[in-house]
Every structure is written in structure tokens, then in C-alpha cells.
Amino acid sequence: MKLQQLRYLVEVAKQGLNVSEAAEKLHTSQPGISKQIRLLEDELGVQIFIRNGKRVVDITAPGREILRISERILMQSQNLKRIGEEFVQVENGSLTIATTHTQARYALPKVIQSFLQRYPKVRLSIKQGSPMQISEMVVDGSADLAIATEGIDHYPELAMLNCYDWNRCIIVPKAHPLTMLNRPLTIADIAAWPLITYDFAFTGRSKINRAFEEQNLTPNVVLTAIDSDVIKTYVELGLGIGILAGMAYEPERDTALTAIDAAHLFEASTTHIGMRKDAYLRGYAYDFIALFAPHLTRAVVQDALLCEGEEGYE
């Protein structure tokens, strides 16, 4: 049995059982992958994939267990390399952060600046996507850490830690009628206007919907977006009022807009950081986490990984 065979196996599963795409990802040939997987099946004495002619169409029951163990073996082999790098190349390496636009644009810049000043030789990559997409990046090993408000808790492979709480504001064009109220803003006030806000999968959208439901009101959502800057752009054009993460409003830049605090109207959301329970984190990864959320010290993160990992293998 070879690690390369396990890599082929896992990549075929990752590519939706498409051997050609797996071969392209791994820079090898389709016949080579097929041959090695069949050799592995012969050695183990079980069929891993169900085939229809030359096409892989499904995974057998024992194949799913083999895949699960193969993924763990590959992760542990990567951890062995990282342990070696930890002691040989203390300040060299790479770190990939998967996150949403709002976190990348508004919460992370100062953290990244401080991190790169401390670790100039570390190759830092930022990948953006929906909460589900970025969680899957960490699950499949293409990212080290996921930072998001939603989604991470849906993946049992990931340990999740709370970073900070935040809430929302209403953004409107300058001199909008809502800026002239002599009382606190209400959900009914917001419901009277066309709304522009986040796509349902992003940034606590479920809590926005819940606030309207509790008042028996239906929001008139005319536009959704995954990008806070897009929401602000269309509010500036007068297409509606926006519900936005408070951190995404920048008075010095958003001079055509006014923000109205809405923390009293919506339940607070929590930004989380997620990592694989079986991952070995380099020292600089712990430092990155602490820069982003100072209460998440190395000891706190290691304790969480230890407890989560033990639960995962019961």
C-alpha cells in the first residue's frame, strides 16, 4: 500500500468520482490512477468504487470506510511534515485562511499586516467563499483555518472556537427619512422600505429573517449580495436601504451614506474560527489566531483540539 494510492483514491472522491478531473488535479494520467486504485482494491480484497464500464458511478460501503481512513492517514502524513518543519524552518512555511468577504475586507487587514510583519517569510494566502465553501476548504485540506459567522458548526470534522460578537446597522443615503426619526428605529420602520442585504448563506442572514418573523412582518428584499461593498453601492444608487454588518460601515470612506445603529433590533452574531480536529498547526498559525482573537491563546486552542479530537474518535 502506498500513500500515492490513497491520494488518488481521495482525489477521485473529491472530484465527484470523475477520474479525469482527479488526474488533471494531480498532474497524472487517468489510466495511471485507475490502475493504482485497482491494485489497492486487490491488496485490500474489497471493491472501493462501483463501476459502469470505465466510469466510476458510486462508492461501496467498505469503500466509504476506506476513504475515511485514507483521509485521516493523508492528514497525519501532512502533520508529520509540519512537525519537522516546525523545528527545522521555524519562521518559514505557508498559511491559508479561508473566509468570507466581510471578514477579509473589514476584520482581517490589520491582523494580516501585523502577522506579515512578524513572519515575513511565511506565504499567506486568503481564499474567499461562502461559509459552506470555506468550511469545505479546511475539511479537504486546501486551507488551514476557516473564519466565518455561519456554517462551520455543520462540519463534524472541524473544531470551532468563538472569536468575537458583532451586530448590524442600517445604511441609508444621506438625508434619508429614517435619519430624521426622533426615536429608536423599529423593524416596522425598516420593513416599510425596499431592502438590500446579504445572501441567505452569509453573515447572520437567518437572524435578520427571524427579527422580521417575530414582528409578523415580511421584509421587501429587492437585492441580495455576498459582498458588503456591493450592498453599499446599490444603497448609494437609491435602490433601497441596506442591512449591513456594523464593521463594514466606514464613515471616512462611505461619505454618501449614513449608518443607523440596529443592534437593539437583531440578535448578535458570533464570528468563529474553525480548523480540522486532526490538524497539526504550526507555531505561527497559533500566533495568527491570537492576533485575530487575543483570548484564543495557544493553550486554549490546543485544549479545544484535544477535547474535540477525543470526541471525534469515540
Side-chain angles (χ1 to χ4, degrees):
M1 186 184 305
K2 302 174 183 177
L3 283 177
Q4 190 72 293
Q5 292 173 325
L6 303 185
R7 290 191 185 95
Y8 290 167
L9 180 67
V10 169
E11 192 62 38
V12 169
K14 189 188 300 184
Q15 297 304 322
L17 306 182
N18 189 313
V19 181
S20 297
E21 290 186 9
E24 185 176 343
K25 287 284 185 180
L26 295 172
H27 307 291
T28 188
S29 69
Q30 179 179 341
I33 286 183
S34 298
K35 178 182 177 181
Q36 289 302 317
I37 290 176
R38 286 190 182 276
L39 288 173
L40 180 60
E41 288 176 322
D42 291 342
E43 181 178 352
L44 296 176
V46 296
Q47 186 177 354
I48 298 172
F49 290 131
I50 298 172
R51 298 171 177 85
N52 183 359
K54 293 184 178 181
R55 290 175 54 247
V56 175
V57 296
D58 205 350
I59 306 171
T60 64
R64 295 187 187 281
E65 283 300 301
I66 291 168
L67 267 169
R68 183 178 62 82
I69 294 171
S70 297
E71 290 171 349
R72 189 184 302 172
I73 290 171
L74 291 174
M75 175 58 71
Q76 295 301 339
S77 71
Q78 185 63 36
N79 287 344
L80 288 174
K81 292 180 181 178
R82 288 175 174 173
I83 291 171
E85 292 168 351
E86 181 76 21
F87 293 96
V88 175
Q89 302 177 17
V90 178
E91 295 186 353
N92 289 2
S94 62
L95 182 65
T96 300
I97 311 299
T99 189
T100 59
H101 170 270
T102 298
Q103 301 294 331
R105 170 68 178 80
Y106 299 102
L108 283 172
K110 290 184 179 178
V111 173
I112 290 171
Q113 182 181 41
S114 298
F115 179 82
L116 291 178
Q117 288 172 349
R118 187 178 300 183
Y119 295 100
K121 296 181 181 179
V122 172
R123 299 182 306 279
L124 185 64
S125 300
I126 305 294
K127 295 184 176 183
Q128 294 184 50
S130 71
M132 297 301 182
Q133 288 170 334
I134 66 176
S135 297
E136 288 169 2
M137 290 177 197
V138 178
V139 169
D140 68 23
S142 57
D144 300 297
L145 303 173
I147 298 175
T149 297
E150 310 277 358
I152 297 175
D153 58 335
H154 296 308
Y155 292 83
E157 304 93 333
L158 302 182
M160 183 179 78
L161 294 167
N162 295 350
C163 296
Y164 64 89
D165 294 336
W166 58 270
N167 216 307
R168 296 151 189 80
C169 64
I170 306 301
I171 55 167
V172 297
K174 291 288 187 183
H176 189 277
L178 289 182
T179 65
M180 303 172 189
L181 297 176
N182 293 317
R183 54 175 175 76
L185 193 68
T186 67
I187 292 291
D189 294 327
I190 301 171
W193 296 89
L195 292 181
I196 303 170
T197 190
Y198 297 106
D199 183 78
F200 187 84
F202 283 75
T203 319
R205 172 67 188 276
S206 57
K207 295 183 178 180
I208 295 174
N209 289 3
R210 191 177 307 130
F212 282 91
E213 290 169 1
E214 289 173 352
Q215 298 295 319
N216 294 316
L217 294 169
T218 301
N220 177 22
V221 179
V222 295
L223 180 67
T224 63
I226 63 174
D227 186 323
S228 299
D229 292 333
V230 170
I231 293 172
K232 290 189 286 188
T233 295
Y234 287 102
V235 172
E236 285 186 31
L237 291 174
L239 299 185
I241 65 174
I243 303 179
L244 199 68
M247 72 183 91
Y249 176 73
E250 300 175 303
E252 67 281 4
R253 293 190 179 188
D254 302 323
T255 54
L257 300 172
T258 297
I260 305 170
D261 182 59
H264 61 293
L265 299 178
F266 303 105
E267 181 185 352
S269 292
T270 301
T271 291
H272 309 285
I273 193 161
M275 62 219 76
R276 280 192 64 125
K277 295 174 183 178
D278 55 359
Y280 178 87
L281 298 180
R282 295 283 303 273
Y284 53 71
Y286 288 106
D287 285 348
F288 182 94
I289 294 170
L291 284 169
F292 185 66
H295 65 285
L296 297 181
T297 62
R298 181 169 186 151
V300 169
V301 176
Q302 287 179 329
D303 284 347
L305 286 174
L306 178 61
C307 293
E308 294 274 9
E310 289 175 348
E311 291 176 3
Y313 290 109
E314 287 181 352

